[in-house]
Amino acid sequence: MKYWYFSECAYPYLPPEEEYDSIRVTLPNGYMDPVKAADLWHRYIDEWQAAEGYGLGLMINEHHSTATCANPSAPIIAGILARATTTARILILGNPIANRPDPVRVAEEMALIDVISRGRLECGFVRGVPYEISATNTYPIDMSARFWEAHDLILKAWTTHDGPFSWTGKFFEHRQVNIWPRPYQQPRPPVWVTTTTPSGSAKIAEHGHTLATFLVGKNMARTIFGNYRTRRKEMGLETSVDKLAYCGLVFVADSEEAARKGSQELMWYATANKVKAPFQVPSGYMPPEARLRMLAGDARDPNALKAFSQDELIDQAIMFSGTPDQVYNQIKTFYDYVGGFGNLLIMGQAGFLGHKQTVRSMQLFSESVAPRLDILHPGIPQRLSA
Amino acid sequence: MSTDFAVELEVRDVGAGSAVIVLPGAFGIESRFDDVDDFYPGCRVITVTHPGFGKLKRPEWCESVEDLAYIYMDFIERLGLQRVTLVGFSFGGWIAAEIALRRPTWLDRLILVDNFGLRGGDREDRSTPDLFAMTLAEWREIAFFDAGVGEKFFGSAGRSDEEMLSIARAQEGLAVYGWQPYLHDPKLERRIGRIKVPTLVLWGGEDRIASPDLGRRIASAIPDACLAIIEGAGHFPHLDRPAEFREQIDKLGITTP
């Protein structure tokens, strides 16, 4: 199994929740102290460097207009890590390509990171969560078609080396596509695509990309992975476990008590997510049937994590938390339940979880959990670095 | 290449007499209120539901107000109607203006009610509030002068799933056609003076979605236009002040051949 350390890089020093409508889109950035933000950013980068030292891959994401994730540009942080690390693979998960106006620019940025890192980029593409619509003024209609057209254009830009080609699609037009630099990896960096719904699996499977799903729990993960395997089988192809990835909240501590305390901090990711309804379910982002009850004013947070207790999160395999033994058993149980997967995305820091505990958790994971999980697939190259 | 505009439309066709085509606003259920037809006695009133706002699937190619204008022109021509009065409310008024700019021979008269299509203010003014960032309750609050009327027509309490779904569909439709540029076409202001038919511009004096200033600008740009501001009315003057609204329509004498 491959392991990827991930933090959303929150800015957690906020006023009481009652004082604002929404942590996303409308929370004034006057609440941010730039000096504290600088300290946090240096710390978060240190943590990715520590993760490299423990043999973990590095995963980066981005969000916009939100204190839950103070990273509006995954490519910038990936560019920093490309130079500040030497061996770890760098996973951007991902580029919100239905929201970005110019896919050729994305292709260029990714190629540059791949070159600087000497071929360590894993390039993810994501549709983007609903809250991103207003934050980026993205047209919420036909996002899936726009996503896949951007994907096709980026892959062609990476793999065309005999001069410019022309692109006139439904969404993007570019008459001279000819990126410099080209990617370091040949023919191109590995591609990942996320989905949180069962219907999203088939197309990812058809392309043979790595499918990642986030915090969806054991039943949904089983369905999503199952649909990927089914589609591959229909095409007469196998599914290698390294094409499947799952992201959970992960916290490992020396004692159960310390684990519970740290996990509670990690749950800030879910509990702090106060979002105004129109930003949760924007017009056009999902079928009107799915938006129906929101209009009546009784919308449930689609990110229902907020309502779960720590034990429920663990039971649902949304969180893996405890001593190394406990975490190993939780992941092993989940692994068997979903039919195996080859990438664990470790959401290992959130909110006020401190640097020391964060790094201790990754150390325990690396030294006392990972070696036991590695045995599950002895044929697959394991550690990414170290 | 398909050049067919014959899109299947959801239509409500009542009464007999002079033809009135109603292009409703962008909020899903206001076109279905029975009393909307009562504003035009002695007329054949045909009210359409915009593609993407109702139960029928929006054709994939139909993604702009201009596309809607061509669909409706084609629809009216196929009906063989002559001497048509075209009434457009809110979002529907924007479509009606686009149709009138194309000067179809069958168009006799235009009525624009609190319509979208133009914007006011400078680049940092959000002249129409961001409707996509509002809850239904917040939207009701600014859309109506009289909160009781808002509650009656758009309150969610006691609203059936079908009606709520209709509102949800209409919100998606509004996003399809009006997301960006936001509820306006930057070219329309320059062009709107080319509308040549007699036009009545009717506006709610307290409209907080589309300011009465827009109504004044539209009425002064169209050569043969007159303006009626209905005081004590918001974005839906026909719902806030139905008697006053009807009085304005009556003055036009549409039923007179």
Side-chain angles (χ1 to χ4, degrees), chain A residues 133-134 137-142 170 276-279 283-284 286-289 291-297, chain B residues 58 60 63 130 132-136 138 156 159-161 164-169 171-172 175-177 179-180:
Chain A
I133 296 295
S134 281
N137 216 67
T138 292
Y139 188 51
I141 310 298
D142 283 346
K170 178 169 160 57
K276 191 180 172 187
F279 301 135
S283 300
M286 60 194 74
E289 290 76 7
R291 301 182 56 242
L292 182 63
R293 293 331 304 177
M294 182 282 287
L295 292 167
Chain B
R58 170 179 62 91
E60 209 173 286
E63 52 196 11
D130 188 354
F132 298 115
M134 287 183 182
T135 63
L136 191 60
E138 287 169 334
S156 47
R159 196 66 69 196
S160 70
D161 272 6
M164 292 307 294
L165 189 55
S166 168
I167 295 174
R169 284 199 187 104
Q171 289 186 340
E172 176 169 330
V176 168
Y177 303 109
W179 183 268
Q180 194 180 356

Side-chain angles (χ1 to χ4, degrees), chain A residues 85-101:
Chain A
T85 63
T86 53
T87 54
R89 292 197 66 80
I90 299 167
L91 167 62
I92 297 189
L93 200 56
N95 294 282
I97 53 173
N99 301 2
R100 298 235 5 217

Side-chain angles (χ1 to χ4, degrees), chain B residues 178-200:
Chain B
W179 183 268
Q180 194 180 356
Y182 179 55
L183 298 178
H184 77 290
D185 174 352
K187 296 291 185 187
L188 186 57
E189 179 139 15
R190 168 170 287 273
R191 295 172 182 169
I192 199 162
R194 289 182 52 81
I195 292 176
K196 296 300 182 203
V197 291
T199 300
L200 170 63

